[in-house]
Amino acid sequence: MLRIECPCCGLRDHDEFRYGGDASVTRPAHHDPDPEAWYRYVYIRTNQAGLHREFWQHVTGCRQWLVVERDTRNHAIASVSLARKLSARKSPARKSPA
Amino acid sequence: MSRYSAFSIFRNALSGQKNWQRAWRAAEPKPSYDVIVIGGGGHGLATAFYLAENHGIRNVAVLEKAYIGGGNVGRNTTVIRSNYLLDGNTQFYEFAMKLWEGMSRALNFNVMFSQRGQLVTAHSADQLDGFSHRANIMRLNGIDADILDRDEVRRLVPYLDFSDTARFPIHGAIFQGRAGTARHDAVAWGYARAADGHGVDIIQNCEVTGFLRDGDGIVGVETTKGRIGAAKVGLAVAGHTSVLGAKAGLELPIESHVLQAFVTEPLKPLVDQVVAYGADHFYVSQSDKGGLVFGGNLDGYNSYAQRGNLGVVREVAEAAIALMPCISRVRLLRHWGGVMDMTPDASPVICPTPIEGLYLNGGWCYGGFKATPASGWCFAHTIATGKPHPLIAAYGLERFRTGHTLDEAGAGPSAWLQ
């Protein structure tokens, strides 16, 4: 059984969570006109046999989205973090509209 | 290869069953082959057989990293059907059904194909309308299909929940009488034996670790038994298509997920057909030993573990009891997991690749077993001629780029929802 250490709620059975897919995929910018970028975002996956970064949402708990690093060969979980903290760190500072 | 027959049983009985030939040779790799098929599952073995049988290409090796029948061909729930809706799928799976009907004879191996019929229950008037649409499409393609009303379903499978308290009352069902099951190990052994009879080398315990290249093209493979050259290489390693594909430089629209299957303790004959639950994902048949064989949803997150988790065991048990309350006290004997190549549209990828000399057969999602003979037939054609067989024209990789996906489940581009 997978057990995920939710940063808000503690160690919980994975039945409380909903899988949200590969977290290493980055969405193209909203107005990106390149169909290739969208094709890759929607369809292409590295599908790692090993450490996999993935989204889970704690649906029957705090409802936070998490990023979990899990080994797909044996389900060992290496790390759990809040998705919004990671995305805040990653995205560039917003410019105010001109 | 000596043929199996009533006479051979009699002859071998006289010598104490000690002189049976082995079903296939324990081959060691030659320096090179015309074609190497990676993956000794049903699809790989069928491909090798049809390369020899249909195209006369006999200098062929099948490389299997473990043993024949140890992967998905031995881990499925053996259901065979051709009740598909979409153009491209309908014709392909019906072609497979026709090959199943002649398979034991063609392979001289009893694969115990049993056309016991399959029905899928409908739980609303709308769902039954949808099934009628599907049945019409099937009939237009020359495939047998019947729509049953509630009373007809009740006469056929009286043990389902027809009570007033059923959470999802049964409105009717779609029935395909030619659907059924086959002994999955026998399919692997039968193809292995028949391919071996044509001179194909079946090499077990031989894992492919890399590809030999000449410029951009592929001219062979590196294995745990050394380097082997090949004019053409076919990849049929469902479950690990991404892993080997990445070694060859392919980027694929595939995720690997675990699907569990279950078998109960043996019961007296109860389930005469294959029964699928239209209100949830659950399907059941009864094996010749009496065990109920069933399955449900994927575990639903990327996994190469070949074993599942208990949450899905509970979900499947819940669906089983909602459909068939009479089995609530039956004990489960075993459950196991197979690794599925899940594509974002639930249809396979079987095509030449942009890499010279490399051909791809994978992405079978839940449904690889029923496709085995047609997959082998069409993949052999594709490898032999370099062009896709007309029946698999819709299964090319480019469909994701051009928007021509075959989303039979209608679940969108999330592989784990298919």
Side-chain angles (χ1 to χ4, degrees):
Chain A
M1 207 77 182
L2 276 180
R3 304 185 83 197
I4 297 174
E5 177 84 44
C6 174
C8 309
C9 314
L11 193 63
R12 297 300 178 96
D13 189 300
H14 88 274
D15 280 5
E16 294 189 7
F17 298 79
R18 178 196 291 143
Y19 184 62
D22 192 328
S24 61
V25 181
T26 12
R27 194 179 194 281
H30 191 66
H31 295 295
D32 194 332
D34 179 14
E36 184 65 18
W38 287 100
Y39 159 72
R40 296 184 62 81
Y41 166 65
V42 175
Y43 292 119
I44 295 299
R45 297 290 178 268
T46 52
N47 191 24
Q48 214 72 287
L51 215 55
H52 188 241
R53 275 166 59 85
E54 56 200 19
F55 288 118
W56 289 81
Q57 189 192 9
H58 196 181
V59 278
T60 63
C62 57
R63 300 199 61 80
Q64 293 296 316
W65 279 94
L66 311 175
V67 172
V68 175
E69 281 186 298
R70 182 180 57 90
D71 192 322
T72 55
R73 294 165 301 183
N74 56 18
H75 304 322
I77 291 174
S79 77
V80 181
S81 12
L82 286 170
R84 62 188 154 88
K85 288 206 171 155
L86 288 182
S87 66
R89 208 185 308 149
K90 227 168 33 177
S91 52
R94 279 206 188 149
K95 287 177 194 155
S96 53
Chain B
M1 181 183 75
S2 67
R3 284 182 65 79
Y4 293 150
S5 65
F7 176 70
S8 75
I9 293 172
F10 182 68
R11 184 163 42 84
N12 282 287
L14 289 179
S15 57
Q17 312 289 0
K18 284 177 188 150
N19 296 314
W20 287 102
Q21 252 183 0
R22 18 178 337 143
W24 60 86
R25 293 165 292 128
E28 283 304 313
K30 292 191 264 184
S32 74
Y33 291 91
D34 293 342
V35 179
I36 285 179
V37 180
I38 308 174
H43 292 228
L45 293 166
T47 303
F49 170 69
Y50 292 117
L51 275 170
E53 175 92 351
N54 294 353
H55 304 280
I57 303 174
R58 297 178 175 216
N59 186 21
V60 175
V62 177
L63 307 183
E64 167 55 44
K65 74 171 173 184
Y67 60 93
I68 299 301
N72 287 350
V73 73
R75 287 171 185 268
N76 56 69
T77 46
T78 79
V79 176
I80 291 157
R81 58 188 173 83
S82 60
N83 52 355
Y84 279 75
L85 176 72
L86 300 181
D87 225 22
N89 282 338
T90 321
Q91 299 83 356
F92 174 82
Y93 286 102
E94 177 57 14
F95 180 67
M97 181 65 83
K98 293 201 171 104
L99 289 175
W100 280 109
E101 286 172 330
M103 186 187 287
S104 292
R105 188 171 288 271
L107 299 182
N108 179 230
F109 201 102
N110 184 5
V111 299
M112 297 164 75
F113 182 43
S114 155
Q115 292 182 288
R116 56 188 72 178
Q118 190 221 22
L119 59 85
V120 188
T121 54
H123 298 267
S124 67
D126 296 353
Q127 193 175 18
L128 199 56
D129 281 352
F131 284 170
S132 305
H133 175 215
R134 176 180 299 252
N136 287 336
I137 299 278
M138 288 166 64
R139 287 188 164 207
L140 285 170
N141 281 284
I143 306 167
D144 65 312
D146 291 294
I147 292 295
L148 313 178
D149 65 25
R150 181 180 162 93
D151 290 336
E152 288 167 320
V153 177
R154 192 167 194 166
R155 269 199 296 281
L156 212 55
V157 282
Y159 49 81
L160 302 188
D161 190 353
F162 289 95
S163 70
D164 295 335
T165 55
R167 175 67 183 85
F168 299 106
I170 293 168
H171 281 241
I174 183 172
F175 182 70
Q176 186 185 21
R178 285 159 66 240
T181 61
R183 170 93 200 267
H184 51 192
D185 302 305
V187 174
W189 299 332
Y191 272 119
R193 176 172 169 274
D196 179 85
H198 283 315
V200 170
D201 282 353
I202 293 162
I203 302 162
Q204 303 185 70
N205 299 309
C206 180
E207 183 172 358
V208 171
T209 53
F211 292 90
L212 304 177
R213 285 165 188 282
D214 179 17
D216 290 338
I218 280 177
V219 294
V221 293
E222 287 182 49
T223 74
T224 48
K225 294 194 174 191
R227 295 177 161 208
I228 312 173
K232 294 174 175 180
V233 176
L235 204 61
V237 291
H240 284 68
T241 305
S242 298
V243 175
L244 270 168
K247 284 181 178 156
L250 286 177
E251 292 181 311
L252 297 167
I254 288 174
E255 285 185 1
S256 297
H257 289 256
V258 158
L259 178 65
Q260 298 186 58
F262 307 82
V263 64
T264 69
E265 59 188 334
L267 308 174
K268 291 274 176 68
L270 170 70
V271 182
D272 294 333
Q273 302 82 5
V274 181
V275 180
Y277 187 22
D280 200 346
H281 200 155
F282 171 77
Y283 53 93
V284 58
S285 65
Q286 190 162 15
S287 80
D288 296 335
K289 283 194 286 189
L292 299 182
V293 181
F294 53 84
N297 275 316
L298 294 172
D299 278 24
Y301 41 87
N302 294 40
S303 173
Y304 286 92
Q306 276 196 337
R307 63 191 165 93
N309 275 316
L310 283 170
V312 169
V313 178
R314 190 183 61 211
E315 282 171 26
V316 172
E318 284 167 356
I321 293 162
L323 181 69
M324 292 174 66
C326 62
I327 61 168
S328 67
R329 305 298 293 272
V330 174
R331 282 165 294 197
L332 271 183
L333 273 194
R334 300 188 292 280
H335 73 114
W336 61 94
V339 181
M340 313 284 128
D341 278 359
M342 299 304 295
T343 58
D345 66 351
S347 293
V349 176
I350 166 167
C351 56
T353 69
I355 301 165
E356 178 80 25
L358 183 69
Y359 298 82
L360 178 65
N361 180 341
W364 289 96
C365 300
Y366 291 103
F369 181 67
K370 67 174 113 44
T372 304
S375 164
W377 184 289
C378 296
F379 196 40
H381 175 102
T382 306
I383 293 173
T385 64
K387 295 194 175 63
H389 188 282
L391 279 170
I392 52 159
Y395 294 155
L397 268 176
E398 69 288 347
R399 71 178 187 268
F400 297 101
R401 214 181 233 111
T402 60
H404 294 87
T405 51
L406 268 78
D407 196 348
E408 189 82 33
S414 296
W416 68 92
L417 296 178
Q418 294 289 351

